[in-house]
Amino acid sequence: MKSIVELADQHIAYLDVGPEDPTGPPLLLLHGGAADSRMWHLQLDAFPDRRVLAPDARGHGGSSDAEGPYRLVDDVLALLDALEIEQVVAVGVSMGGGTACDLAMESPTRVAGIVVGGTGTSEPVFEDPWALQAFADWRAAEQRGDLQAWIDVLQRFTAGPHRTLDQVDPAVRDLVDTMARDTLEQHLRTDADGTPILPLPPTPVTRTWQLLDQVDVPVLALCGALDGPDHLANGRRLAEAVADGEYVEVPGASHYPNLERPELFNGALRDVLRRISPPRR
């Protein structure tokens, strides 16, 4: 059951699980674009000693749509302030990974460590033809108002460039499909002719790659080995740019390693948590 924080300009829906006396800073799980907090269902109960928060980003899930300029990192900070949480371990995949990096740079005292998958910072660099074609097809589907084609392109990232979608676990591809369809049904607006109106994109945080040398907490780039080459390159670049960075590939997974190989993803995350806050004696 999701909780709701009502703020002056928006409401934020989030999942909040964990013990009454948790160990260390909470885990903050930030989902990818077109998805929502359901993408973390295999992580919510995997850390029984830890408080775990999984919010829906603006324009996703149960959270409100954007009515004016906004930054995703500011929404996260507003949620933490409302819940009176001083510090978190920020974990994000794709769009959420970029937001986790932004949080570490914009408010370093609020972050004890970050784990990022499917991206580097919130300013990923794309040069590979596979990714460039996917993004071009995505924009074309948006302009045509072809929602099925838009979802089909999203699912290319689920499979990655080395597999077909039918080689992905049906439970994973069905969840991605469901979340994307719900995002469109619940948040996509149309004009009088029924033409989709593209949502207001978030205002980007800039100069992220130049500011990474200021990040002094543990950073793990935990990327699916079958993801696109640009996504992997962005993760490696992130890990190499910070003082305490590590790059790890999750075999048998593409853009959503937390869904395809949860045992490996969760195990790597536990290793980071042990470094940040050793277990109780």
Side-chain angles (χ1 to χ4, degrees), residues 97-145:
T99 305
C101 288
D102 289 344
L103 187 63
M105 287 181 280
E106 294 277 297
S107 298
T109 62
R110 308 297 292 272
V111 180
I114 62 174
V115 177
V116 170
T119 190
T121 74
S122 60
E123 296 178 295
V125 176
F126 292 106
E127 302 172 330
D128 182 73
W130 178 81
L132 295 177
Q133 186 62 59
F135 287 121
D137 292 345
W138 216 355
R139 288 191 295 272
E142 287 180 338
Q143 292 167 359
R144 296 194 310 270

mmCIF file of all heavy atoms in Angstrom, residues 97-145:
data_model
loop_
_atom_site.group_PDB
_atom_site.id
_atom_site.type_symbol
_atom_site.label_atom_id
_atom_site.label_comp_id
_atom_site.label_asym_id
_atom_site.label_seq_id
_atom_site.Cartn_x
_atom_site.Cartn_y
_atom_site.Cartn_z
ATOM 1 N N GLY A 97 18.900 6.251 -11.654
ATOM 2 C CA GLY A 97 20.325 6.282 -11.372
ATOM 3 C C GLY A 97 20.904 7.671 -11.548
ATOM 4 O O GLY A 97 21.740 8.124 -10.762
ATOM 5 N N GLY A 98 20.445 8.375 -12.594
ATOM 6 C CA GLY A 98 20.881 9.751 -12.773
ATOM 7 C C GLY A 98 20.460 10.633 -11.621
ATOM 8 O O GLY A 98 21.229 11.491 -11.155
ATOM 9 N N THR A 99 19.246 10.420 -11.117
ATOM 10 C CA THR A 99 18.777 11.204 -9.978
ATOM 11 C C THR A 99 19.593 10.899 -8.728
ATOM 12 O O THR A 99 19.880 11.804 -7.927
ATOM 13 C CB THR A 99 17.288 10.927 -9.719
ATOM 14 O OG1 THR A 99 16.542 11.179 -10.915
ATOM 15 C CG2 THR A 99 16.749 11.816 -8.610
ATOM 16 N N ALA A 100 19.978 9.630 -8.545
ATOM 17 C CA ALA A 100 20.824 9.272 -7.406
ATOM 18 C C ALA A 100 22.153 10.012 -7.463
ATOM 19 O O ALA A 100 22.648 10.526 -6.444
ATOM 20 C CB ALA A 100 21.050 7.757 -7.377
ATOM 21 N N CYS A 101 22.745 10.097 -8.650
ATOM 22 C CA CYS A 101 23.991 10.861 -8.803
ATOM 23 C C CYS A 101 23.769 12.342 -8.517
ATOM 24 O O CYS A 101 24.581 12.984 -7.841
ATOM 25 C CB CYS A 101 24.545 10.680 -10.213
ATOM 26 S SG CYS A 101 25.240 9.068 -10.549
ATOM 27 N N ASP A 102 22.682 12.882 -9.039
ATOM 28 C CA ASP A 102 22.372 14.295 -8.784
ATOM 29 C C ASP A 102 22.257 14.558 -7.289
ATOM 30 O O ASP A 102 22.727 15.587 -6.781
ATOM 31 C CB ASP A 102 21.057 14.676 -9.460
ATOM 32 C CG ASP A 102 21.157 14.735 -10.975
ATOM 33 O OD1 ASP A 102 22.291 14.771 -11.486
ATOM 34 O OD2 ASP A 102 20.093 14.729 -11.629
ATOM 35 N N LEU A 103 21.624 13.646 -6.569
ATOM 36 C CA LEU A 103 21.455 13.814 -5.128
ATOM 37 C C LEU A 103 22.804 13.873 -4.425
ATOM 38 O O LEU A 103 23.019 14.701 -3.530
ATOM 39 C CB LEU A 103 20.602 12.670 -4.578
ATOM 40 C CG LEU A 103 20.169 12.754 -3.120
ATOM 41 C CD1 LEU A 103 19.281 13.956 -2.883
ATOM 42 C CD2 LEU A 103 19.453 11.463 -2.706
ATOM 43 N N ALA A 104 23.722 13.012 -4.849
ATOM 44 C CA ALA A 104 25.051 12.992 -4.228
ATOM 45 C C ALA A 104 25.823 14.273 -4.492
ATOM 46 O O ALA A 104 26.626 14.707 -3.658
ATOM 47 C CB ALA A 104 25.845 11.784 -4.734
ATOM 48 N N MET A 105 25.589 14.892 -5.641
ATOM 49 C CA MET A 105 26.312 16.120 -5.972
ATOM 50 C C MET A 105 25.625 17.369 -5.425
ATOM 51 O O MET A 105 26.282 18.299 -4.970
ATOM 52 C CB MET A 105 26.465 16.221 -7.492
ATOM 53 C CG MET A 105 27.479 15.239 -8.046
ATOM 54 S SD MET A 105 27.699 15.370 -9.835
ATOM 55 C CE MET A 105 26.272 14.467 -10.408
ATOM 56 N N GLU A 106 24.296 17.380 -5.475
ATOM 57 C CA GLU A 106 23.556 18.560 -5.037
ATOM 58 C C GLU A 106 23.474 18.662 -3.513
ATOM 59 O O GLU A 106 23.497 19.759 -2.966
ATOM 60 C CB GLU A 106 22.146 18.510 -5.619
ATOM 61 C CG GLU A 106 22.086 18.639 -7.128
ATOM 62 C CD GLU A 106 22.128 20.083 -7.584
ATOM 63 O OE1 GLU A 106 21.209 20.837 -7.248
ATOM 64 O OE2 GLU A 106 23.091 20.440 -8.279
ATOM 65 N N SER A 107 23.343 17.526 -2.834
ATOM 66 C CA SER A 107 23.189 17.515 -1.369
ATOM 67 C C SER A 107 24.029 16.385 -0.785
ATOM 68 O O SER A 107 23.504 15.355 -0.338
ATOM 69 C CB SER A 107 21.717 17.338 -0.984
ATOM 70 O OG SER A 107 20.933 18.411 -1.450
ATOM 71 N N PRO A 108 25.354 16.530 -0.806
ATOM 72 C CA PRO A 108 26.234 15.417 -0.431
ATOM 73 C C PRO A 108 26.035 14.911 0.986
ATOM 74 O O PRO A 108 26.262 13.729 1.246
ATOM 75 C CB PRO A 108 27.643 16.004 -0.635
ATOM 76 C CG PRO A 108 27.458 17.482 -0.675
ATOM 77 C CD PRO A 108 26.098 17.722 -1.236
ATOM 78 N N THR A 109 25.588 15.757 1.908
ATOM 79 C CA THR A 109 25.408 15.279 3.285
ATOM 80 C C THR A 109 24.193 14.369 3.417
ATOM 81 O O THR A 109 24.049 13.689 4.435
ATOM 82 C CB THR A 109 25.247 16.463 4.254
ATOM 83 O OG1 THR A 109 24.065 17.211 3.902
ATOM 84 C CG2 THR A 109 26.462 17.364 4.206
ATOM 85 N N ARG A 110 23.339 14.335 2.407
ATOM 86 C CA ARG A 110 22.124 13.516 2.474
ATOM 87 C C ARG A 110 22.354 12.095 1.947
ATOM 88 O O ARG A 110 21.439 11.270 1.968
ATOM 89 C CB ARG A 110 20.990 14.165 1.674
ATOM 90 C CG ARG A 110 20.709 15.608 2.012
ATOM 91 C CD ARG A 110 20.238 15.817 3.431
ATOM 92 N NE ARG A 110 18.928 15.283 3.723
ATOM 93 C CZ ARG A 110 17.783 15.963 3.552
ATOM 94 N NH1 ARG A 110 17.822 17.178 3.048
ATOM 95 N NH2 ARG A 110 16.635 15.423 3.897
ATOM 96 N N VAL A 111 23.550 11.810 1.435
ATOM 97 C CA VAL A 111 23.810 10.536 0.766
ATOM 98 C C VAL A 111 25.011 9.850 1.409
ATOM 99 O O VAL A 111 26.087 10.427 1.517
ATOM 100 C CB VAL A 111 24.070 10.751 -0.739
ATOM 101 C CG1 VAL A 111 24.349 9.423 -1.428
ATOM 102 C CG2 VAL A 111 22.882 11.428 -1.391
ATOM 103 N N ALA A 112 24.799 8.587 1.813
ATOM 104 C CA ALA A 112 25.887 7.793 2.389
ATOM 105 C C ALA A 112 26.562 6.914 1.348
ATOM 106 O O ALA A 112 27.654 6.396 1.572
ATOM 107 C CB ALA A 112 25.350 6.916 3.525
ATOM 108 N N GLY A 113 25.932 6.732 0.208
ATOM 109 C CA GLY A 113 26.465 5.925 -0.874
ATOM 110 C C GLY A 113 25.442 5.851 -1.979
ATOM 111 O O GLY A 113 24.257 6.115 -1.767
ATOM 112 N N ILE A 114 25.907 5.526 -3.202
ATOM 113 C CA ILE A 114 24.966 5.389 -4.313
ATOM 114 C C ILE A 114 25.282 4.122 -5.109
ATOM 115 O O ILE A 114 26.440 3.710 -5.237
ATOM 116 C CB ILE A 114 24.958 6.620 -5.241
ATOM 117 C CG1 ILE A 114 26.315 6.844 -5.900
ATOM 118 C CG2 ILE A 114 24.517 7.858 -4.504
ATOM 119 C CD1 ILE A 114 26.295 7.960 -6.933
ATOM 120 N N VAL A 115 24.221 3.522 -5.632
ATOM 121 C CA VAL A 115 24.317 2.373 -6.523
ATOM 122 C C VAL A 115 23.502 2.708 -7.758
ATOM 123 O O VAL A 115 22.325 3.057 -7.654
ATOM 124 C CB VAL A 115 23.796 1.085 -5.857
ATOM 125 C CG1 VAL A 115 23.835 -0.074 -6.846
ATOM 126 C CG2 VAL A 115 24.609 0.757 -4.604
ATOM 127 N N VAL A 116 24.136 2.613 -8.923
ATOM 128 C CA VAL A 116 23.542 3.092 -10.167
ATOM 129 C C VAL A 116 23.584 1.977 -11.201
ATOM 130 O O VAL A 116 24.603 1.306 -11.359
ATOM 131 C CB VAL A 116 24.325 4.316 -10.681
ATOM 132 C CG1 VAL A 116 23.889 4.684 -12.076
ATOM 133 C CG2 VAL A 116 24.134 5.496 -9.740
ATOM 134 N N GLY A 117 22.468 1.775 -11.911
ATOM 135 C CA GLY A 117 22.432 0.816 -13.003
ATOM 136 C C GLY A 117 21.867 1.444 -14.256
ATOM 137 O O GLY A 117 21.007 2.325 -14.194
ATOM 138 N N GLY A 118 22.350 1.025 -15.412
ATOM 139 C CA GLY A 118 21.783 1.471 -16.676
ATOM 140 C C GLY A 118 22.075 2.905 -17.061
ATOM 141 O O GLY A 118 21.428 3.437 -17.969
ATOM 142 N N THR A 119 23.047 3.532 -16.420
ATOM 143 C CA THR A 119 23.380 4.921 -16.737
ATOM 144 C C THR A 119 24.692 5.286 -16.054
ATOM 145 O O THR A 119 25.291 4.482 -15.346
ATOM 146 C CB THR A 119 22.260 5.878 -16.281
ATOM 147 O OG1 THR A 119 22.513 7.186 -16.808
ATOM 148 C CG2 THR A 119 22.155 5.943 -14.780
ATOM 149 N N GLY A 120 25.102 6.534 -16.259
ATOM 150 C CA GLY A 120 26.178 7.111 -15.476
ATOM 151 C C GLY A 120 25.557 8.199 -14.624
ATOM 152 O O GLY A 120 24.826 7.935 -13.687
ATOM 153 N N THR A 121 25.777 9.454 -15.022
ATOM 154 C CA THR A 121 25.092 10.552 -14.361
ATOM 155 C C THR A 121 23.757 10.807 -15.072
ATOM 156 O O THR A 121 23.361 10.060 -15.963
ATOM 157 C CB THR A 121 25.932 11.846 -14.392
ATOM 158 O OG1 THR A 121 25.890 12.395 -15.709
ATOM 159 C CG2 THR A 121 27.368 11.580 -13.967
ATOM 160 N N SER A 122 23.080 11.905 -14.705
ATOM 161 C CA SER A 122 21.833 12.261 -15.372
ATOM 162 C C SER A 122 22.069 12.907 -16.733
ATOM 163 O O SER A 122 21.119 13.328 -17.403
ATOM 164 C CB SER A 122 21.011 13.212 -14.493
ATOM 165 O OG SER A 122 21.739 14.396 -14.228
ATOM 166 N N GLU A 123 23.327 12.968 -17.167
ATOM 167 C CA GLU A 123 23.671 13.454 -18.505
ATOM 168 C C GLU A 123 24.401 12.351 -19.273
ATOM 169 O O GLU A 123 25.567 12.492 -19.643
ATOM 170 C CB GLU A 123 24.566 14.696 -18.418
ATOM 171 C CG GLU A 123 23.908 15.897 -17.765
ATOM 172 C CD GLU A 123 24.849 17.075 -17.664
ATOM 173 O OE1 GLU A 123 25.861 16.971 -16.936
ATOM 174 O OE2 GLU A 123 24.590 18.095 -18.320
ATOM 175 N N PRO A 124 23.722 11.232 -19.525
ATOM 176 C CA PRO A 124 24.392 10.130 -20.221
ATOM 177 C C PRO A 124 24.783 10.516 -21.634
ATOM 178 O O PRO A 124 24.123 11.331 -22.286
ATOM 179 C CB PRO A 124 23.333 9.015 -20.216
ATOM 180 C CG PRO A 124 22.029 9.739 -20.124
ATOM 181 C CD PRO A 124 22.309 10.936 -19.257
ATOM 182 N N VAL A 125 25.873 9.917 -22.104
ATOM 183 C CA VAL A 125 26.378 10.162 -23.447
ATOM 184 C C VAL A 125 26.020 8.957 -24.312
ATOM 185 O O VAL A 125 26.332 7.814 -23.966
ATOM 186 C CB VAL A 125 27.905 10.375 -23.431
ATOM 187 C CG1 VAL A 125 28.437 10.543 -24.845
ATOM 188 C CG2 VAL A 125 28.269 11.574 -22.555
ATOM 189 N N PHE A 126 25.368 9.212 -25.463
ATOM 190 C CA PHE A 126 24.985 8.143 -26.364
ATOM 191 C C PHE A 126 25.611 8.384 -27.736
ATOM 192 O O PHE A 126 25.402 9.430 -28.350
ATOM 193 C CB PHE A 126 23.456 8.061 -26.483
ATOM 194 C CG PHE A 126 22.791 7.611 -25.217
ATOM 195 C CD1 PHE A 126 22.098 8.516 -24.428
ATOM 196 C CD2 PHE A 126 22.892 6.295 -24.793
ATOM 197 C CE1 PHE A 126 21.490 8.108 -23.247
ATOM 198 C CE2 PHE A 126 22.295 5.878 -23.612
ATOM 199 C CZ PHE A 126 21.593 6.786 -22.834
ATOM 200 N N GLU A 127 26.363 7.388 -28.187
ATOM 201 C CA GLU A 127 27.053 7.465 -29.470
ATOM 202 C C GLU A 127 26.867 6.211 -30.311
ATOM 203 O O GLU A 127 27.070 6.239 -31.523
ATOM 204 C CB GLU A 127 28.555 7.691 -29.240
ATOM 205 C CG GLU A 127 28.885 8.942 -28.454
ATOM 206 C CD GLU A 127 30.354 9.048 -28.072
ATOM 207 O OE1 GLU A 127 31.002 7.987 -27.888
ATOM 208 O OE2 GLU A 127 30.848 10.189 -27.957
ATOM 209 N N ASP A 128 26.496 5.109 -29.684
ATOM 210 C CA ASP A 128 26.378 3.836 -30.378
ATOM 211 C C ASP A 128 25.150 3.836 -31.294
ATOM 212 O O ASP A 128 24.076 4.323 -30.902
ATOM 213 C CB ASP A 128 26.259 2.697 -29.365
ATOM 214 C CG ASP A 128 26.195 1.349 -30.044
ATOM 215 O OD1 ASP A 128 27.232 0.894 -30.553
ATOM 216 O OD2 ASP A 128 25.087 0.757 -30.085
ATOM 217 N N PRO A 129 25.264 3.301 -32.508
ATOM 218 C CA PRO A 129 24.127 3.315 -33.437
ATOM 219 C C PRO A 129 22.873 2.638 -32.888
ATOM 220 O O PRO A 129 21.753 3.082 -33.196
ATOM 221 C CB PRO A 129 24.672 2.571 -34.661
ATOM 222 C CG PRO A 129 26.150 2.789 -34.605
ATOM 223 C CD PRO A 129 26.492 2.806 -33.150
ATOM 224 N N TRP A 130 23.030 1.588 -32.103
ATOM 225 C CA TRP A 130 21.847 0.897 -31.559
ATOM 226 C C TRP A 130 21.041 1.841 -30.676
ATOM 227 O O TRP A 130 19.812 1.939 -30.817
ATOM 228 C CB TRP A 130 22.285 -0.325 -30.752
ATOM 229 C CG TRP A 130 21.143 -1.060 -30.118
ATOM 230 C CD1 TRP A 130 20.315 -1.962 -30.713
ATOM 231 C CD2 TRP A 130 20.694 -0.931 -28.761
ATOM 232 N NE1 TRP A 130 19.375 -2.414 -29.818
ATOM 233 C CE2 TRP A 130 19.582 -1.800 -28.616
ATOM 234 C CE3 TRP A 130 21.105 -0.184 -27.665
ATOM 235 C CZ2 TRP A 130 18.879 -1.934 -27.414
ATOM 236 C CZ3 TRP A 130 20.418 -0.311 -26.466
ATOM 237 C CH2 TRP A 130 19.315 -1.172 -26.348
ATOM 238 N N ALA A 131 21.704 2.547 -29.766
ATOM 239 C CA ALA A 131 21.006 3.470 -28.877
ATOM 240 C C ALA A 131 20.450 4.663 -29.653
ATOM 241 O O ALA A 131 19.309 5.083 -29.431
ATOM 242 C CB ALA A 131 21.936 3.947 -27.768
ATOM 243 N N LEU A 132 21.245 5.223 -30.567
ATOM 244 C CA LEU A 132 20.787 6.386 -31.324
ATOM 245 C C LEU A 132 19.542 6.054 -32.142
ATOM 246 O O LEU A 132 18.607 6.866 -32.242
ATOM 247 C CB LEU A 132 21.911 6.894 -32.224
ATOM 248 C CG LEU A 132 23.146 7.450 -31.505
ATOM 249 C CD1 LEU A 132 24.215 7.847 -32.517
ATOM 250 C CD2 LEU A 132 22.775 8.641 -30.623
ATOM 251 N N GLN A 133 19.498 4.865 -32.739
ATOM 252 C CA GLN A 133 18.326 4.465 -33.506
ATOM 253 C C GLN A 133 17.110 4.284 -32.606
ATOM 254 O O GLN A 133 15.987 4.681 -32.962
ATOM 255 C CB GLN A 133 18.604 3.163 -34.262
ATOM 256 C CG GLN A 133 17.478 2.749 -35.202
ATOM 257 C CD GLN A 133 17.248 3.773 -36.294
ATOM 258 O OE1 GLN A 133 18.162 4.076 -37.077
ATOM 259 N NE2 GLN A 133 16.042 4.333 -36.367
ATOM 260 N N ALA A 134 17.328 3.685 -31.426
ATOM 261 C CA ALA A 134 16.216 3.482 -30.492
ATOM 262 C C ALA A 134 15.618 4.819 -30.070
ATOM 263 O O ALA A 134 14.386 4.994 -30.071
ATOM 264 C CB ALA A 134 16.685 2.692 -29.277
ATOM 265 N N PHE A 135 16.465 5.786 -29.741
ATOM 266 C CA PHE A 135 15.955 7.091 -29.311
ATOM 267 C C PHE A 135 15.262 7.815 -30.466
ATOM 268 O O PHE A 135 14.255 8.510 -30.261
ATOM 269 C CB PHE A 135 17.078 7.933 -28.721
ATOM 270 C CG PHE A 135 17.527 7.470 -27.362
ATOM 271 C CD1 PHE A 135 18.837 7.090 -27.129
ATOM 272 C CD2 PHE A 135 16.633 7.399 -26.299
ATOM 273 C CE1 PHE A 135 19.247 6.654 -25.880
ATOM 274 C CE2 PHE A 135 17.030 6.958 -25.048
ATOM 275 C CZ PHE A 135 18.345 6.585 -24.834
ATOM 276 N N ALA A 136 15.781 7.661 -31.670
ATOM 277 C CA ALA A 136 15.133 8.283 -32.828
ATOM 278 C C ALA A 136 13.757 7.663 -33.054
ATOM 279 O O ALA A 136 12.774 8.375 -33.339
ATOM 280 C CB ALA A 136 16.010 8.122 -34.068
ATOM 281 N N ASP A 137 13.674 6.353 -32.950
ATOM 282 C CA ASP A 137 12.386 5.682 -33.127
ATOM 283 C C ASP A 137 11.417 6.058 -32.013
ATOM 284 O O ASP A 137 10.201 6.151 -32.234
ATOM 285 C CB ASP A 137 12.592 4.166 -33.161
ATOM 286 C CG ASP A 137 13.341 3.705 -34.398
ATOM 287 O OD1 ASP A 137 13.464 4.492 -35.357
ATOM 288 O OD2 ASP A 137 13.824 2.547 -34.390
ATOM 289 N N TRP A 138 11.941 6.260 -30.830
ATOM 290 C CA TRP A 138 11.102 6.661 -29.698
ATOM 291 C C TRP A 138 10.485 8.037 -29.950
ATOM 292 O O TRP A 138 9.293 8.255 -29.758
ATOM 293 C CB TRP A 138 11.950 6.669 -28.425
ATOM 294 C CG TRP A 138 11.214 6.220 -27.197
ATOM 295 C CD1 TRP A 138 9.888 5.908 -27.090
ATOM 296 C CD2 TRP A 138 11.774 6.011 -25.908
ATOM 297 N NE1 TRP A 138 9.591 5.519 -25.809
ATOM 298 C CE2 TRP A 138 10.730 5.576 -25.052
ATOM 299 C CE3 TRP A 138 13.053 6.148 -25.384
ATOM 300 C CZ2 TRP A 138 10.920 5.283 -23.712
ATOM 301 C CZ3 TRP A 138 13.249 5.844 -24.045
ATOM 302 C CH2 TRP A 138 12.202 5.424 -23.219
ATOM 303 N N ARG A 139 11.322 8.980 -30.401
ATOM 304 C CA ARG A 139 10.818 10.323 -30.693
ATOM 305 C C ARG A 139 9.783 10.285 -31.824
ATOM 306 O O ARG A 139 8.768 10.990 -31.785
ATOM 307 C CB ARG A 139 11.981 11.251 -31.068
ATOM 308 C CG ARG A 139 12.867 11.639 -29.883
ATOM 309 C CD ARG A 139 13.826 12.747 -30.261
ATOM 310 N NE ARG A 139 14.785 12.299 -31.265
ATOM 311 C CZ ARG A 139 15.951 11.720 -30.992
ATOM 312 N NH1 ARG A 139 16.306 11.505 -29.739
ATOM 313 N NH2 ARG A 139 16.763 11.357 -31.971
ATOM 314 N N ALA A 140 10.049 9.462 -32.828
ATOM 315 C CA ALA A 140 9.107 9.361 -33.943
ATOM 316 C C ALA A 140 7.769 8.803 -33.470
ATOM 317 O O ALA A 140 6.701 9.268 -33.899
ATOM 318 C CB ALA A 140 9.696 8.485 -35.042
ATOM 319 N N ALA A 141 7.794 7.805 -32.600
ATOM 320 C CA ALA A 141 6.554 7.241 -32.070
ATOM 321 C C ALA A 141 5.791 8.291 -31.257
ATOM 322 O O ALA A 141 4.555 8.371 -31.332
ATOM 323 C CB ALA A 141 6.867 6.016 -31.218
ATOM 324 N N GLU A 142 6.513 9.098 -30.483
ATOM 325 C CA GLU A 142 5.868 10.168 -29.716
ATOM 326 C C GLU A 142 5.189 11.165 -30.646
ATOM 327 O O GLU A 142 4.039 11.582 -30.427
ATOM 328 C CB GLU A 142 6.908 10.893 -28.851
ATOM 329 C CG GLU A 142 7.389 10.107 -27.651
ATOM 330 C CD GLU A 142 8.420 10.886 -26.845
ATOM 331 O OE1 GLU A 142 9.048 11.803 -27.412
ATOM 332 O OE2 GLU A 142 8.607 10.564 -25.656
ATOM 333 N N GLN A 143 5.896 11.559 -31.697
ATOM 334 C CA GLN A 143 5.358 12.569 -32.612
ATOM 335 C C GLN A 143 4.141 12.045 -33.366
ATOM 336 O O GLN A 143 3.214 12.810 -33.676
ATOM 337 C CB GLN A 143 6.459 13.017 -33.577
ATOM 338 C CG GLN A 143 7.566 13.806 -32.893
ATOM 339 C CD GLN A 143 8.794 13.977 -33.765
ATOM 340 O OE1 GLN A 143 8.842 13.486 -34.892
ATOM 341 N NE2 GLN A 143 9.803 14.667 -33.252
ATOM 342 N N ARG A 144 4.122 10.747 -33.662
ATOM 343 C CA ARG A 144 2.969 10.152 -34.343
ATOM 344 C C ARG A 144 1.817 9.861 -33.389
ATOM 345 O O ARG A 144 0.698 9.599 -33.828
ATOM 346 C CB ARG A 144 3.363 8.830 -35.013
ATOM 347 C CG ARG A 144 4.375 8.906 -36.115
ATOM 348 C CD ARG A 144 4.407 7.599 -36.904
ATOM 349 N NE ARG A 144 4.530 6.417 -36.068
ATOM 350 C CZ ARG A 144 5.674 5.868 -35.695
ATOM 351 N NH1 ARG A 144 6.817 6.422 -36.078
ATOM 352 N NH2 ARG A 144 5.698 4.778 -34.959
ATOM 353 N N GLY A 145 2.114 9.876 -32.087
ATOM 354 C CA GLY A 145 1.110 9.468 -31.118
ATOM 355 C C GLY A 145 0.865 7.974 -31.149
ATOM 356 O O GLY A 145 -0.218 7.505 -30.761
#
